[in-house]
């Protein structure tokens, strides 16, 4: 029915509402804890779309997407880690806060 | 020497400084003209790292990265289009504006 609010990609939960993932340390060197890229060529992740992040990590894990070092890092993640990392980065300010309304 | 400012990925040019790409229309339905994702699962692009965007489009064009409809869209782009689109989206507020300082 038309009343059910359609979840929009930009409606990320507040940063404080998401637990810090156990494996965040694997990501921080390049992506930062807040998802601000540390080096040109490395994507920003803060506020990114959660489903996209889950799919990207899943693709690195399955080999559908190849990249050094993402492939080996993703292989060390369990599905629960992937969900926790995607939720964490999606909840960081980054895109969501800066995006046009 | 230590004085030369290291270009950080977040120091994107002001949005007004980048020309609107001729092929932006191919991207807008899913990514929006400002890079704010229109559907869950589609990544935000606004303020993203320019080199990353160039590489992603290049990978879709070369087939290293596969996705419907990105593969066919990227095949319709010339290198100059890829540079223009990457520069445009990197210059949008999105991530760069919302990222932690």
């Amino acid at each position: 029915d038309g009343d059910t609010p359609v979840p929009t990609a930009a409606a990320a939960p507040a940063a404080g509402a998401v637990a810090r993932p156990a494996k965040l340390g694997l990501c921080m060197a390049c992506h930062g804890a807040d998802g601000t890229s540390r080096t040109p060529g490395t994507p920003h992740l803060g506020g990114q779309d959660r489903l996209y992040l889950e799919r990207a990590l899943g693709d690195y894990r399955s080999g559908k997407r190849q990249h050094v070092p993402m492939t080996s890092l993703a292989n060390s993640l369990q599905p629960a880690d992937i969900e926790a990392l995607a939720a964490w980065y999606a909840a960081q300010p980054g895109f969501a806060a800066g995006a046009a309304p």
Side-chain angles (χ1 to χ4, degrees), chain A residues 10-94:
Chain A
V18 179
R20 190 183 176 97
K23 301 226 172 142
L24 186 61
L26 292 177
C27 317
M28 290 169 50
C30 298
H31 293 292
D34 65 350
T36 303
S37 161
R38 290 318 192 234
T39 48
T42 297
H44 299 301
L45 302 182
Q48 184 54 279
D49 178 84
R50 183 176 57 78
L51 293 179
Y52 170 74
L53 291 174
E54 283 186 13
R55 197 181 67 218
L57 283 172
D59 286 351
Y60 283 123
R61 194 159 178 262
S62 70
K64 183 185 173 197
R65 200 167 153 181
Q66 312 248 334
H67 178 275
V68 173
M70 284 304 299
T71 298
S72 54
L73 288 172
N75 282 330
S76 73
L77 301 177
Q78 296 305 313
D81 295 317
I82 287 179
E83 282 173 30
L85 288 165
W88 170 266
Y89 278 118
Q92 301 308 305

